[in-house]
Amino acid sequence: MSDKPEKFIDENGIRLDGRRVDEIRPMTVEMGVLSRADGSCYLEWGNNKVLAAVYGPRELHPRRLQRPGEALVRYRYNMAAFSVEDRIRPGPSRRSTEISKVSGEAFEPVVMKQFYPSAVIDVFAEVLQADAGTRTAAINAATLALVDAGIPMKGLVAACAVGKVDGQLVIDLNKPEDNYGDADLPIAMTEDGEITLLQMDGNLTVEEINKGVEMVKAGCEQIFAIQKAALLEKFGTAEEDEVLED
Ligand code: ADP
C-alpha cells in the first residue's frame, strides 16, 4: 500500500487526482452486456470496474422463502479474488454480507415488488477491480441492470460517498483518500432525494454531515444524468426507430 500523502488538497483546492472537492471521478456505463442475464450493466468509475447482473422475476425456491404479496429482492455484492492488490479469499465475508444487505435495502422504495408476488429478483454485483467506492459503484450499476431487466421501478437510485481529508469535505473518495482520510460516508438516494443508504466510517460533525449530504446530492444529480443518457441510448433510439418505421 502507498504511504500517506502529506497533503490531499493543494492551495488551489485541487485533489491529488486533479479533481475539485465536489467533482466525481469519470464514469462510463454500458447496459445489456450479458446475454444470459435478464438485465446487466458494466460500469467503470475512476479505476473501479463493476459488473451488475439481474435475474428474474422468477419463481422463488424454496417456497418457504416466498413472500405472498410481493417479490423478494436479493442483492449480492462480491469482490473478485483479483479485484485488489492482495488476493481476496473467495466467498462471502462479514464485509460483503453487510454491503449486500444494505445495498439491497437501498432499492426498497423504488422497486415495485407488489407486481410479482412470490417471485424473486436476484441482483448480483461483481467488483472486478476495486479502487474505493465499490459499494456505491455497484449500486449505480445495479440500478441500470434492474431497468435493463424490465423491472418496474418508480425511479432510479444513485450512490456516491462523501468524506473528509485535510479537514475538508470531498465527494467520491479515491483510494488514498479512503485509506488515510478522516471519514467516509457512502450514501444512496432516489431521484426525489430520499436517502436509502447511509453508512459512516470515521467522525463528522452534524454540520459536516448536512453539508456532505448536499454535496452527495449534487454528485448524484450527475450520476442520474449519466444513467439517463445510457437509458436513452439503449431504449430511446429503439423507440424513435419504431416511430419512424410506423
Ligand atoms: P468501498 O469500496 O465501498 O469504498 P470500503 O471503504 O470497505 O468499501 O473499501 C475501500 C477500498 O478498500 C475498496 O474499494 C478496495 O479498493 C479496498 N478493499 C476493501 N476490502 C479489501 C480487502 N479485503 N482487501 C484489499 N483491499 C480491500
Side-chain angles (χ1 to χ4, degrees), residues 54-67:
V54 169
Y55 293 81
R58 56 189 176 183
E59 200 177 336
L60 175 56
H61 293 286
R63 288 186 145 202
R64 65 186 154 76
L65 295 178
Q66 291 183 356
R67 300 190 173 179

Side-chain angles (χ1 to χ4, degrees), residues 96-150:
S96 68
T97 305
E98 174 199 306
I99 294 176
S100 298
K101 180 182 184 293
V102 295
S103 302
E105 287 167 3
F107 291 93
E108 268 300 307
V110 296
V111 175
M112 300 173 82
K113 298 181 293 184
Q114 67 273 28
F115 289 150
Y116 304 106
S118 310
V120 63
I121 299 166
D122 278 308
V123 183
F124 296 94
E126 295 289 322
V127 178
L128 307 177
Q129 186 171 289
D131 198 49
T134 55
R135 77 195 65 198
T136 49
I139 288 170
N140 293 326
T143 298
L144 290 179
L146 281 162
V147 179
D148 191 38

Side-chain angles (χ1 to χ4, degrees), residues 3-225:
D3 292 335
K4 181 177 179 178
E6 256 178 50
K7 266 182 97 175
F8 288 95
I9 306 171
D10 72 13
E11 53 285 355
N12 301 315
I14 301 298
R15 292 149 75 177
L16 290 173
D17 57 11
R19 286 183 290 154
R20 299 184 311 271
V21 293
D22 59 353
E23 196 176 339
I24 62 169
R25 289 173 282 186
M27 183 186 289
T28 56
V29 294
E30 194 182 341
M31 295 172 67
V33 290
L34 300 173
S35 56
R36 301 222 199 303
D38 293 305
S40 57
C41 175
Y42 172 67
L43 177 144
E44 291 191 1
W45 192 4
N47 290 322
N48 288 307
K49 297 184 179 183
V50 177
L51 191 56
V54 169
Y55 293 81
R58 56 189 176 183
E59 200 177 336
L60 175 56
H61 293 286
R63 288 186 145 202
R64 65 186 154 76
L65 295 178
Q66 291 183 356
R67 300 190 173 179
E70 61 175 30
L72 173 68
V73 178
R74 290 193 295 210
Y75 188 108
R76 196 194 72 164
Y77 164 100
N78 183 54
M79 276 180 131
F82 51 80
S83 62
V84 292
E85 249 170 71
D86 307 317
R87 175 178 181 272
I88 288 190
R89 192 165 170 224
S93 62
R94 272 183 68 152
R95 176 177 172 276
S96 68
T97 305
E98 174 199 306
I99 294 176
S100 298
K101 180 182 184 293
V102 295
S103 302
E105 287 167 3
F107 291 93
E108 268 300 307
V110 296
V111 175
M112 300 173 82
K113 298 181 293 184
Q114 67 273 28
F115 289 150
Y116 304 106
S118 310
V120 63
I121 299 166
D122 278 308
V123 183
F124 296 94
E126 295 289 322
V127 178
L128 307 177
Q129 186 171 289
D131 198 49
T134 55
R135 77 195 65 198
T136 49
I139 288 170
N140 293 326
T143 298
L144 290 179
L146 281 162
V147 179
D148 191 38
I151 308 293
M153 285 157 74
K154 291 182 190 156
L156 304 169
V157 174
C160 179
V162 62
K164 190 169 147 188
V165 291
D166 291 351
Q168 286 193 58
L169 295 175
V170 296
I171 62 165
D172 184 23
L173 305 178
N174 61 30
K175 194 72 175 41
E177 291 169 343
D178 188 301
N179 281 357
Y180 301 113
D182 303 321
D184 177 16
L185 187 75
I187 294 173
M189 62 178 65
T190 64
E191 287 175 82
D192 301 333
E194 183 185 343
I195 292 177
T196 59
L197 175 148
L198 190 146
Q199 296 184 282
M200 187 155 100
D201 194 8
N203 289 319
L204 291 173
T205 63
V206 173
E207 289 74 31
E208 284 170 337
I209 292 175
N210 287 335
K211 185 169 177 225
V213 168
E214 287 310 311
M215 289 171 76
V216 165
K217 263 190 188 164
C220 284
E221 288 302 328
Q222 294 175 51
I223 297 166
F224 285 131

